Amino acid sequence: MTERKKVTIQTLNEMKEKGEPISMLTCYDYPMALLEEKAGMDIILVGDSLGMTVYGMDSTLPVTMDMMVNHAKAVRKGAPTAFLVGDMPYMSYQVSKEEAIRNAGRLMAEAECDAVKLEGGKEMAETIEAMVKATIPVMGHIGLTPQSIAQMGGFKAQGRSAEGALKLVEDAKALEQAGASLLLVEAVPPPVLSEITKALSIPVISLGAGEDAAGQLLIVHDILGFFDRFVPKFVKKYADMNSAIYDGLKSYVDEVKSGKYPEEKYTYGMKPEEVEKFKELLKA
Ligand code: KIV
């Protein structure tokens, strides 16, 4: 297998120009990163969704910078050539531009991310401009933005009214103008995504917003059937890992209880004379 060249922002721009769809998936740990890299994932997002998928939280709000940096470091180890995006957790970029730069800088320097992602429309434009000036590539995120669930009244599709849709197009333009390199659009109707894609020159990635984008993102725990507490409408399940893992765990428990495990082949050998000598030594 030939080694893949590092995926860069130039690679992603070229893919968009050629009409070659960009694959993007979340990832939170080293073993999954190895597999995503092997599968040829173009962009890997270490999302703050890890609060819910990995830590069992009810929302992404309690996720901290330290959690994000640690998980992103592990993912980078397993996925050296994918374009790695580190998610900025709640209140790591909203308080001031200085804090946003410092926190994003941690994801870039400590975890070797290629870009950071933050949620919000026009109101984040100045912050993005400051981050880009500080050499940090940014992916914007509009539409359903999980860090605003309190304001949105839950995990709800956005841009379903004409006014709401227009605001999203304006937000998208403002983020591109501020210097964002990529834009994620989550859970909006396809006609809204199409207008955003048409209006921008940077690659737009769709998460449950239809096909008219440079690429697609889904959550790894959703597509592999790891997380079934809450499954959005746009999720396509590509594997049923919960069942496969449960079957393995249950068989292990059953075999330990019944004494079937460990059979001799799972133990280390010892020459009979060494066993005899060992017994003699014990008597002495
Ligand atoms: O944290 C995450 O995985 C995300 C996706 C929902 C886009 O931000």
Side-chain angles (χ1 to χ4, degrees), residues 26 28 45 47-50 60 87 117 119 141 146 184 186 207 217 219:
T26 62
Y28 315 108
L45 169 67
D48 65 355
S49 50
L50 62 79
T60 58
D87 213 2
K117 176 174 84 58
E119 300 181 5
H141 178 176
L184 173 65
E186 176 171 354
L207 170 55
L217 165 68
I219 308 290

mmCIF file of all heavy atoms in Angstrom, residues 26 28 45 47-50 60 87 117 119 141 146 184 186 207 217 219, ligand 1:
data_model
loop_
_atom_site.group_PDB
_atom_site.id
_atom_site.type_symbol
_atom_site.label_atom_id
_atom_site.label_comp_id
_atom_site.label_asym_id
_atom_site.label_seq_id
_atom_site.Cartn_x
_atom_site.Cartn_y
_atom_site.Cartn_z
ATOM 1 N N THR A 26 -15.889 11.950 12.849
ATOM 2 C CA THR A 26 -15.312 12.255 14.164
ATOM 3 C C THR A 26 -14.457 11.074 14.623
ATOM 4 O O THR A 26 -14.575 9.951 14.104
ATOM 5 C CB THR A 26 -16.404 12.492 15.236
ATOM 6 O OG1 THR A 26 -17.167 11.303 15.388
ATOM 7 C CG2 THR A 26 -17.297 13.657 14.873
ATOM 8 N N TYR A 28 -12.179 9.862 18.509
ATOM 9 C CA TYR A 28 -11.853 10.330 19.864
ATOM 10 C C TYR A 28 -10.656 9.614 20.486
ATOM 11 O O TYR A 28 -10.223 9.978 21.566
ATOM 12 C CB TYR A 28 -13.057 10.134 20.797
ATOM 13 C CG TYR A 28 -14.365 10.586 20.173
ATOM 14 C CD1 TYR A 28 -15.323 9.664 19.763
ATOM 15 C CD2 TYR A 28 -14.621 11.943 19.978
ATOM 16 C CE1 TYR A 28 -16.508 10.080 19.179
ATOM 17 C CE2 TYR A 28 -15.795 12.361 19.391
ATOM 18 C CZ TYR A 28 -16.743 11.422 18.995
ATOM 19 O OH TYR A 28 -17.906 11.844 18.400
ATOM 20 N N LEU A 45 -12.376 14.846 12.715
ATOM 21 C CA LEU A 45 -12.756 15.859 13.710
ATOM 22 C C LEU A 45 -12.742 15.231 15.099
ATOM 23 O O LEU A 45 -13.454 14.253 15.351
ATOM 24 C CB LEU A 45 -14.177 16.376 13.416
ATOM 25 C CG LEU A 45 -14.802 17.236 14.526
ATOM 26 C CD1 LEU A 45 -14.060 18.565 14.700
ATOM 27 C CD2 LEU A 45 -16.284 17.501 14.247
ATOM 28 N N GLY A 47 -14.313 15.867 17.967
ATOM 29 C CA GLY A 47 -15.442 16.715 18.321
ATOM 30 C C GLY A 47 -15.688 16.736 19.822
ATOM 31 O O GLY A 47 -15.391 15.758 20.526
ATOM 32 N N ASP A 48 -16.268 17.846 20.282
ATOM 33 C CA ASP A 48 -16.634 17.871 21.709
ATOM 34 C C ASP A 48 -17.854 16.973 21.954
ATOM 35 O O ASP A 48 -18.279 16.787 23.090
ATOM 36 C CB ASP A 48 -16.846 19.300 22.227
ATOM 37 C CG ASP A 48 -18.021 20.006 21.578
ATOM 38 O OD1 ASP A 48 -18.627 19.440 20.645
ATOM 39 O OD2 ASP A 48 -18.344 21.136 22.006
ATOM 40 N N SER A 49 -18.369 16.359 20.874
ATOM 41 C CA SER A 49 -19.402 15.329 21.046
ATOM 42 C C SER A 49 -18.857 14.184 21.903
ATOM 43 O O SER A 49 -19.629 13.358 22.401
ATOM 44 C CB SER A 49 -19.866 14.792 19.685
ATOM 45 O OG SER A 49 -18.773 14.431 18.867
ATOM 46 N N LEU A 50 -17.547 14.154 22.107
ATOM 47 C CA LEU A 50 -16.976 13.110 22.973
ATOM 48 C C LEU A 50 -17.554 13.190 24.387
ATOM 49 O O LEU A 50 -17.561 12.188 25.119
ATOM 50 C CB LEU A 50 -15.443 13.166 22.988
ATOM 51 C CG LEU A 50 -14.701 14.399 23.513
ATOM 52 C CD1 LEU A 50 -14.635 14.440 25.023
ATOM 53 C CD2 LEU A 50 -13.302 14.455 22.932
ATOM 54 N N THR A 60 -22.763 18.671 25.367
ATOM 55 C CA THR A 60 -21.318 18.887 25.172
ATOM 56 C C THR A 60 -20.788 19.993 26.100
ATOM 57 O O THR A 60 -19.587 20.242 26.136
ATOM 58 C CB THR A 60 -21.037 19.294 23.704
ATOM 59 O OG1 THR A 60 -21.782 20.486 23.402
ATOM 60 C CG2 THR A 60 -21.442 18.201 22.738
ATOM 61 N N ASP A 87 -11.922 20.417 18.012
ATOM 62 C CA ASP A 87 -13.109 21.212 18.330
ATOM 63 C C ASP A 87 -12.848 22.091 19.554
ATOM 64 O O ASP A 87 -12.258 21.636 20.542
ATOM 65 C CB ASP A 87 -14.252 20.232 18.654
ATOM 66 C CG ASP A 87 -15.603 20.758 18.226
ATOM 67 O OD1 ASP A 87 -15.667 21.862 17.653
ATOM 68 O OD2 ASP A 87 -16.596 20.041 18.465
ATOM 69 N N LYS A 117 -12.154 24.023 15.131
ATOM 70 C CA LYS A 117 -13.533 24.324 14.738
ATOM 71 C C LYS A 117 -14.234 25.055 15.872
ATOM 72 O O LYS A 117 -14.045 24.716 17.041
ATOM 73 C CB LYS A 117 -14.291 23.031 14.422
ATOM 74 C CG LYS A 117 -15.769 23.270 14.098
ATOM 75 C CD LYS A 117 -16.472 22.018 13.639
ATOM 76 C CE LYS A 117 -16.972 21.134 14.767
ATOM 77 N NZ LYS A 117 -17.909 21.782 15.705
ATOM 78 N N GLU A 119 -18.184 27.058 16.865
ATOM 79 C CA GLU A 119 -19.580 27.224 16.481
ATOM 80 C C GLU A 119 -19.963 28.705 16.461
ATOM 81 O O GLU A 119 -19.460 29.488 17.261
ATOM 82 C CB GLU A 119 -20.481 26.477 17.478
ATOM 83 C CG GLU A 119 -20.204 24.983 17.534
ATOM 84 C CD GLU A 119 -21.113 24.237 18.502
ATOM 85 O OE1 GLU A 119 -22.047 24.850 19.076
ATOM 86 O OE2 GLU A 119 -20.884 23.026 18.692
ATOM 87 N N HIS A 141 -18.774 26.647 11.984
ATOM 88 C CA HIS A 141 -19.830 25.632 12.174
ATOM 89 C C HIS A 141 -21.148 26.368 12.410
ATOM 90 O O HIS A 141 -21.298 27.048 13.431
ATOM 91 C CB HIS A 141 -19.440 24.754 13.373
ATOM 92 C CG HIS A 141 -20.448 23.690 13.737
ATOM 93 N ND1 HIS A 141 -20.211 22.764 14.729
ATOM 94 C CD2 HIS A 141 -21.677 23.386 13.255
ATOM 95 C CE1 HIS A 141 -21.250 21.952 14.848
ATOM 96 N NE2 HIS A 141 -22.167 22.319 13.962
ATOM 97 N N PRO A 146 -24.549 22.461 18.653
ATOM 98 C CA PRO A 146 -24.919 21.820 19.922
ATOM 99 C C PRO A 146 -24.575 22.613 21.185
ATOM 100 O O PRO A 146 -25.209 22.422 22.220
ATOM 101 C CB PRO A 146 -24.158 20.491 19.881
ATOM 102 C CG PRO A 146 -23.922 20.230 18.426
ATOM 103 C CD PRO A 146 -23.753 21.571 17.796
ATOM 104 N N LEU A 184 -18.577 24.046 8.245
ATOM 105 C CA LEU A 184 -19.468 22.914 8.499
ATOM 106 C C LEU A 184 -20.895 23.442 8.639
ATOM 107 O O LEU A 184 -21.134 24.396 9.388
ATOM 108 C CB LEU A 184 -19.040 22.215 9.797
ATOM 109 C CG LEU A 184 -19.972 21.107 10.285
ATOM 110 C CD1 LEU A 184 -20.007 19.953 9.302
ATOM 111 C CD2 LEU A 184 -19.530 20.605 11.656
ATOM 112 N N GLU A 186 -24.632 22.142 9.678
ATOM 113 C CA GLU A 186 -25.282 20.986 10.321
ATOM 114 C C GLU A 186 -26.800 21.128 10.344
ATOM 115 O O GLU A 186 -27.332 22.174 10.771
ATOM 116 C CB GLU A 186 -24.745 20.849 11.760
ATOM 117 C CG GLU A 186 -25.446 19.722 12.540
ATOM 118 C CD GLU A 186 -24.813 19.411 13.884
ATOM 119 O OE1 GLU A 186 -23.747 19.967 14.208
ATOM 120 O OE2 GLU A 186 -25.413 18.581 14.604
ATOM 121 N N LEU A 207 -23.291 18.179 7.386
ATOM 122 C CA LEU A 207 -23.622 17.175 8.409
ATOM 123 C C LEU A 207 -25.143 17.149 8.469
ATOM 124 O O LEU A 207 -25.782 18.066 9.009
ATOM 125 C CB LEU A 207 -23.021 17.570 9.769
ATOM 126 C CG LEU A 207 -23.462 16.754 10.995
ATOM 127 C CD1 LEU A 207 -23.224 15.256 10.806
ATOM 128 C CD2 LEU A 207 -22.722 17.214 12.238
ATOM 129 N N LEU A 217 -19.833 14.858 6.691
ATOM 130 C CA LEU A 217 -19.362 14.499 8.042
ATOM 131 C C LEU A 217 -20.452 13.714 8.749
ATOM 132 O O LEU A 217 -21.642 14.021 8.624
ATOM 133 C CB LEU A 217 -19.071 15.770 8.859
ATOM 134 C CG LEU A 217 -18.914 15.605 10.383
ATOM 135 C CD1 LEU A 217 -17.656 14.814 10.744
ATOM 136 C CD2 LEU A 217 -18.865 16.964 11.084
ATOM 137 N N ILE A 219 -20.902 11.260 12.716
ATOM 138 C CA ILE A 219 -20.289 10.959 14.016
ATOM 139 C C ILE A 219 -19.970 9.461 14.044
ATOM 140 O O ILE A 219 -20.856 8.636 13.804
ATOM 141 C CB ILE A 219 -21.282 11.280 15.166
ATOM 142 C CG1 ILE A 219 -21.838 12.703 15.042
ATOM 143 C CG2 ILE A 219 -20.671 11.026 16.537
ATOM 144 C CD1 ILE A 219 -20.897 13.810 15.302
HETATM 145 O O1 KIV B 1 -18.531 17.672 18.420
HETATM 146 C C1 KIV B 1 -18.847 17.255 17.310
HETATM 147 O O2 KIV B 1 -18.704 16.084 16.964
HETATM 148 C C2 KIV B 1 -19.388 18.228 16.397
HETATM 149 C C3 KIV B 1 -20.238 17.703 15.322
HETATM 150 C C4 KIV B 1 -21.634 17.610 15.819
HETATM 151 C C5 KIV B 1 -20.129 18.563 14.153
HETATM 152 O O3 KIV B 1 -19.210 19.398 16.574
#
